[in-house]
Structure formats: C-alpha cells, structure tokens
Amino acid sequence: MSTLVKAMSKFRLAVVQLNVTKVKADNLKRAQELVKEAAGQGAKVVVLPECFNSPYGTRFFPEYAEKIPGESTQALSRAAKENGVYLVGGSIPEEDGGKLYNTCPVFGPDGSMLLKHRKIHLFDIDVPGKIRFQESETLSPGSSLSVFETPFCKVGVGICYDMRFAELAQIYAKRGCQLLVYPGAFNMTTGPAHWELLQRGRALDNQVYVAAASPARDEAASYVAWGHSAVISPWGEVITKAGVEETVLYADIDLQYLAEVRQQIPISSQRRGDLYSVNALPES
C-alpha cells in the first residue's frame, strides 16, 4: 500500500457536544470556536449537535427558524473554510416556502454547502408518564437521502430519530458510506435506554463507523438532552464517549480496519438477495 493511500485510509473525526443557550449569536460563536479547536487537533471532519443554534422544542422552532442561506449557515460556511474541514452543521430550524424543517447543512473545506439533510422521520412519541413530544406539530419531514463525499470516504447523514430506522443506514452502506453521522438530542427517557444501543446497532449491522453528536445537558432547559455523544467502530465498540458537559470528542477513523472487519465477517457478500432486499425508492 502506498504512503498516500495509507494516509487517506485514516482521518481524525471530531464530535462537538455543545452547550446550547437561548441566544443564537452565542451558540454560533461558541460553535465556531470549537470547530477551530477541533481543526487545531487535526480533525478533518467535524460534527455539531442537533439544534445547535437554538433550544430544542416545538415552540422554539418558529422563533429561531431561518432560511438557507442565512445567519447560521453563513457562520458554518466561514468556519469550514477558515479551518479547512468538512463540517456537518448539526441541525437548525429551517424555514422554506412557509414550512419548517429540522435541517442539517454540510459544508466542504472551501466553504461550499455540499448538501442539506432535512430530518426524514419526525420525532412523534408518547411514553405515558415520561415524555410526549410531537415534532409534526410544527415541522415538516424531509424527503431526500443525504450522502456526501470526502477524500477519505463517503458519509451518510441522518438526524436523531432517523437513527431508529435501520433501513436508512442499510441504504447508506449500500451506497458506499463508511461513516454515518447523526446529530441528535435524545432525552432523559430514551437516552439511557436507546441512544448508545442504536448507534452500536447501526454500526454493527452495516460494519461502518457511527458518530452521534448531542447537545450538552442543561437541566434547566424545557427539553433536557441526554448528552453522551459517541463514536462507534465497525465492530460495534464504543471508541469514545462524552459525559454530559460541553466537550469535543476525537476519534481516528481507520478505513483499513473497517475493510478487515468486513473481510473477517463478510455479511455483505452473504446476504440473500434472492430472498429479501432493502432499496430506496426514486426521489420525487
């Protein structure tokens, strides 16, 4: 293996667990500072959390929503360009054509927007006595799958509740993604029960790396995020995991190791395509 190929088979990933406040300008400023910090530590891909520019909640979405391009995406574009990183911009409430979306914009090292992933599966749950939340009260669902390319590997994007749907991850893996990123804000009910389990499941099922970026926990918020951002290996192991405070996680992604895992347990070549299949439908 040439030195160049060897170098390209490894890269550093940073996951930012941001302390989100009610002041958008402060959130944007802090996010930019932490992206710069991550780049200084050698990160080539940086992931921000869901709703990084605003509090999470149906009453906040209309208040904080903005168009794309807008204030938040312009700040992200600058951060990506100034630091020469691929920046997965967590998510922001987006307004477009009178509808609101929970949207993850992704930027390249030149500051250009590579894609925007609108959350496909809206978070509508009701666990009696614990939590009821209905994103569909204010948000509309996206209708596109989202993959972007880097010099290292293809990356598939989902937002929070999207992670519960194994089919999305399977399709991303089928399209050649070796890293899946999920900005997410699980809560104090679903977080301890399912947050890490789902990440490990998606990683193990598809033999990919999985990164999940949560906001830091704020006990005073109306919606309390679980925290515990993490990066999982293709073997299903937790490589690194945060606590509840603001922090930046680092993981060195090793695509040669991923290839070895797939060679040792070759499930992709062992699938029974004559019996079952998971495929994306044509996008309208």
Side-chain angles (χ1 to χ4, degrees), residues 170-192:
Q170 288 166 19
I171 290 164
Y172 282 161
K174 208 171 180 179
R175 291 184 177 182
C177 295
Q178 294 176 301
L179 168 65
L180 306 183
V181 293
Y182 294 98
F186 274 45
N187 53 70
M188 300 298 287
T189 298
T190 61

Side-chain angles (χ1 to χ4, degrees), residues 61-189:
F61 297 146
E63 181 186 346
Y64 286 80
E66 56 185 77
K67 292 190 179 294
I68 295 178
E71 178 187 5
S72 297
T73 51
Q74 285 164 357
L76 293 174
S77 172
R78 282 196 305 275
K81 187 173 183 179
E82 287 171 5
N83 296 290
V85 297
Y86 288 88
L87 180 55
V88 179
S91 80
I92 65 171
E94 177 201 3
E95 190 278 319
D96 184 29
K99 291 184 176 181
L100 298 180
Y101 301 92
N102 188 344
T103 302
C104 174
V106 177
F107 297 87
D110 62 354
S112 64
M113 189 167 77
L114 304 179
L115 61 82
K116 61 177 182 180
H117 175 79
R118 289 171 169 168
K119 191 174 192 174
I120 298 172
H121 305 94
L122 295 184
F123 180 53
D124 286 3
I125 70 163
D126 189 351
V127 182
K130 293 187 176 178
I131 183 171
R132 181 184 184 277
F133 199 98
Q134 304 287 311
E135 272 191 326
S136 63
E137 288 174 355
T138 53
L139 298 179
S140 296
S143 56
S144 297
L145 308 188
S146 304
V147 172
F148 68 96
E149 298 208 27
T150 74
F152 314 106
C153 67
K154 287 183 179 178
V155 183
V157 183
I159 299 174
C160 200
Y161 204 56
D162 287 339
M163 184 162 52
R164 288 190 180 270
F165 297 86
E167 300 88 344
L168 179 62
Q170 288 166 19
I171 290 164
Y172 282 161
K174 208 171 180 179
R175 291 184 177 182
C177 295
Q178 294 176 301
L179 168 65
L180 306 183
V181 293
Y182 294 98
F186 274 45
N187 53 70
M188 300 298 287
T189 298

